[in-house]
Amino acid sequence: NFDDVNFGDYYYEAVGIARKLGIAKGQGNNMFNPKETISRQDMMVLVERALVILNKINKTSEVTEIDRFMDKEQIAVYARESIEALVKEGLIKGDGSRINPLAKTTRAEAAVFLYRIYNKFWMEN
């Protein structure tokens, strides 16, 4: 597991599994920073990696969908393909002109995101 995730922490097993699956890669120096808030782009990256593992979406190297967002230059290099895939699938829409990658995720945003995922992949079947 990561050095800052201790045995006995309620999230120890989940974070360890997410790391083993390649969903969580940490923030460098074998650190996860589990008590920090999460940015929108980091939330999107984690979810996109999980959806790829579940074969619900495909990883893409063609990044064109995010070009419509005025703040696309704020998206970290490591997050571009993940965000592209989620926008392409209609799971992330931003506010129309911005995607706000560096903003902290609100509970409402997380709920809408999860609702879209549920409706797209589990209500269709």
Side-chain angles (χ1 to χ4, degrees), residues 50-123:
L51 290 172
V52 167
I53 288 169
L54 292 169
N55 293 315
K56 296 296 182 184
I57 64 175
N58 295 313
K59 195 112 181 125
T60 181
S61 59
E62 183 180 322
V63 180
T64 58
E65 293 288 324
I66 60 175
D67 285 344
R68 68 176 182 241
F69 297 108
M70 292 172 37
D71 56 354
K72 67 182 177 196
E73 298 303 321
Q74 294 178 6
I75 300 171
V77 172
Y78 70 86
R80 293 182 69 78
E81 290 178 10
S82 295
I83 295 173
E84 174 73 18
L86 295 172
V87 170
K88 193 175 201 175
E89 290 289 333
L91 298 171
I92 292 292
K93 299 178 190 258
D95 68 4
S97 62
R98 297 183 180 280
I99 199 152
N100 301 312
L102 303 177
K104 301 303 176 192
T105 298
T106 66
R107 291 173 185 254
E109 289 167 336
V112 168
F113 189 29
L114 292 171
Y115 180 75
R116 286 182 185 149
I117 291 167
Y118 177 77
N119 277 330
K120 181 166 185 75
F121 299 117
W122 285 276
M123 289 301 292

Side-chain angles (χ1 to χ4, degrees), residues 1 36-37 40 77 79-80 102:
N1 216 322
E36 293 293 319
T37 57
R40 287 174 44 84
V77 172
R80 293 182 69 78
L102 303 177

Side-chain angles (χ1 to χ4, degrees), residues 15-27:
V15 172
I17 291 169
R19 181 178 189 178
K20 186 173 184 174
L21 292 172
I23 296 168
K25 296 184 180 179
Q27 298 194 341

